[in-house]
Amino acid sequence: MKPINPTASPASERRREQAQGRKEQGRAKALARLRTAWSGTAALLLLLAAGGCWDSKDVDNRFLVGAMGLDAKSPERLEVWFRVPVTSPMGGGHKSSFFAVSQEGSTVMDAVNRVQYKLPKAIDVSSTRALFLDEQSAQYGLLPYLEFAVRERTVPLDAVVAVVEGGMKRIFESPNPAGELAGIYTKLYFEPYAGGIPRKNKTMLWEVYAKLHNPMHANLIPVLRQEKKDFIQTGNAFFRSDHMAGRLTMDESLLYEMMTKRLTDSEIVLMSRSDLNIVHNKTRVRSRLAGGKPRVEAEISLSVSLLDKSHSKRRSEDEIKEELAEQLDQLSKGLIAKTQKAGSDIFGFGNRFRDRIKPDQWPDLYRQGDIRCTFKIEMRNTGLEFLRA
């Protein structure tokens, strides 16, 4: 509260108040001008930051790649295939819905740059949904052919990866049977919510690259072959380091899904006299070092339901369970023997011993390990077949 001056006149008080008001208005105008100046500066900085977008190519001037194929001609030379969807009112699985082009180069990025000379638009691999490698590339080594994707960040890391047998030309130039766009069909082929089943073993680019640098967990990549208008999966290739070491059959791949706790959806098992549906899978793995050698015990519990059976010979519930357990036991022994011979731990058991051994020691220790699988089978929904009077 301002002190009252008894000697001051009312007129002088009014003049003093008017002067004070003018000062406050001046300060407000100065602050407003300062805010305006800062707003203009900020807008200018935003325009400068967005200046890099002015040189980008419009979507109409780009070819968006749906699938890429890496076909090694020699360790120093490879041919890269590109499959590009072409939108048209016709749609469907016609050749007009896509086009394929290939280019040789010393590296993947060299081929990507060279293919620009063939095309009227820029090639854009950032939309790639599938990455294929021929068997020769897989045998030479994955790292030289896949490292570009992580270094350049051009191909999405969630693109599916597969090995192709029989050459790239046929799989890239054949129309998709379902009329899907290039790359999308391949992606859906492995998706669990679409056409994928556990035997197909969906593998993404980021998983492959992570395991290339982990000696305790080897890669397992699907193998595809083109047949007429369809391509089918013939198995899964397992790797030692970045080199392809062998293959698993589709039934062995199913067992791999059980052991790695990836079997989530229903799966049909065909036997000699009955068909069973696996509705639940629970796997418990115990591991320890005994005498300097790893010992791994996997206990796999399955709940199955009876779908169909042969009417030529009546079989009891116990006989069906015994046959399934015997079949799975044979598959597990063959699967483990294959991978141990190559020193390829596709199950990732080595990660359980990471705190006790050096990573580069694991492939040799895996060969010497004692790995066993036991199976517990429970039957559900058998219907009237096994009712007792």
Side-chain angles (χ1 to χ4, degrees), residues 232-356:
I232 62 171
Q233 186 173 350
T234 60
N236 284 281
F238 58 89
F239 289 74
R240 166 71 192 275
S241 184
D242 67 337
H243 300 280
M244 181 175 168
R247 287 195 196 184
L248 303 184
T249 66
M250 296 301 287
D251 287 338
E252 290 171 338
S253 301
L254 175 61
L255 189 61
Y256 160 82
E257 298 285 339
M258 295 179 188
M259 294 178 68
T260 54
K261 305 178 184 180
R262 299 176 61 172
L263 184 64
T264 54
D265 297 329
S266 296
E267 175 70 20
I268 296 176
V269 179
L270 303 179
M271 299 194 301
S272 62
R273 297 185 180 88
S274 56
D275 300 336
L276 303 175
N277 189 27
I278 300 174
V279 296
H280 183 67
N281 165 227
K282 182 179 179 181
T283 301
R284 183 177 181 181
V285 179
R286 300 183 182 89
S287 59
R288 59 188 175 90
L289 283 176
K293 295 182 180 180
R295 181 179 177 85
V296 179
E297 297 175 355
E299 182 182 278
I300 301 174
S301 300
L302 298 175
S303 295
V304 299
S305 62
L306 181 66
L307 295 180
D308 200 0
K309 65 179 182 60
S310 171
H311 292 272
S312 60
K313 182 179 180 181
R314 185 179 180 86
R315 310 202 70 205
S316 67
E317 179 180 353
D318 291 337
E319 290 175 331
I320 293 177
K321 289 164 60 175
E322 183 180 353
E323 181 184 354
L324 177 58
E326 182 180 352
Q327 180 176 327
L328 292 175
D329 183 62
Q330 293 176 353
L331 286 174
S332 68
K333 290 178 180 178
L335 169 61
I336 293 170
K338 280 183 182 180
T339 57
Q340 280 192 303
K341 183 179 179 180
S344 175
D345 179 11
I346 58 176
F347 311 102
F349 292 144
N351 292 319
R352 296 172 171 269
F353 303 94
R354 185 175 288 275
D355 59 336
R356 285 164 284 178

Side-chain angles (χ1 to χ4, degrees), residues 215-216 350 353-365:
M216 294 184 161
F353 303 94
R354 185 175 288 275
D355 59 336
R356 285 164 284 178
I357 63 173
K358 295 180 179 180
D360 56 359
Q361 296 176 333
W362 178 246
D364 291 332
L365 287 174

Side-chain angles (χ1 to χ4, degrees), residues 78-93:
L78 77 157
E79 183 177 15
V80 180
W81 284 82
F82 306 89
R83 183 164 166 136
V84 180
V86 178
T87 56
S88 65
M90 293 294 293

Side-chain angles (χ1 to χ4, degrees), residues 76-191:
E76 296 80 22
R77 200 75 179 169
L78 77 157
E79 183 177 15
V80 180
W81 284 82
F82 306 89
R83 183 164 166 136
V84 180
V86 178
T87 56
S88 65
M90 293 294 293
H94 306 285
K95 282 194 174 182
S96 59
S97 66
F98 74 94
F99 75 88
V101 61
S102 65
Q103 176 62 51
E104 289 194 11
S106 56
T107 65
V108 177
M109 293 311 300
D110 180 42
V112 171
N113 292 330
R114 287 175 180 271
V115 79
Q116 310 277 2
Y117 294 104
K118 295 182 177 181
L119 302 174
K121 299 180 183 181
I123 198 85
D124 186 349
V125 298
S126 63
S127 59
T128 304
R129 293 293 177 265
L131 191 62
F132 298 107
L133 300 101
D134 73 313
E135 288 183 284
Q136 197 69 33
S137 302
Q139 292 171 0
Y140 286 150
L142 296 176
L143 192 58
Y145 304 104
L146 297 183
E147 194 171 24
F148 82 97
V150 179
R151 288 185 177 275
E152 293 289 332
R153 297 295 177 94
T154 48
V155 176
L157 295 182
D158 64 345
V160 295
V161 181
V163 175
V164 173
E165 64 177 31
M168 291 289 174
K169 181 178 177 65
R170 188 173 181 183
I171 202 168
F172 268 79
E173 293 185 349
S174 297
N176 291 326
E180 301 287 349
L181 293 177
I184 303 299
Y185 175 75
T186 312
K187 186 86 170 178
L188 292 176
Y189 179 83
F190 292 104
E191 290 291 354

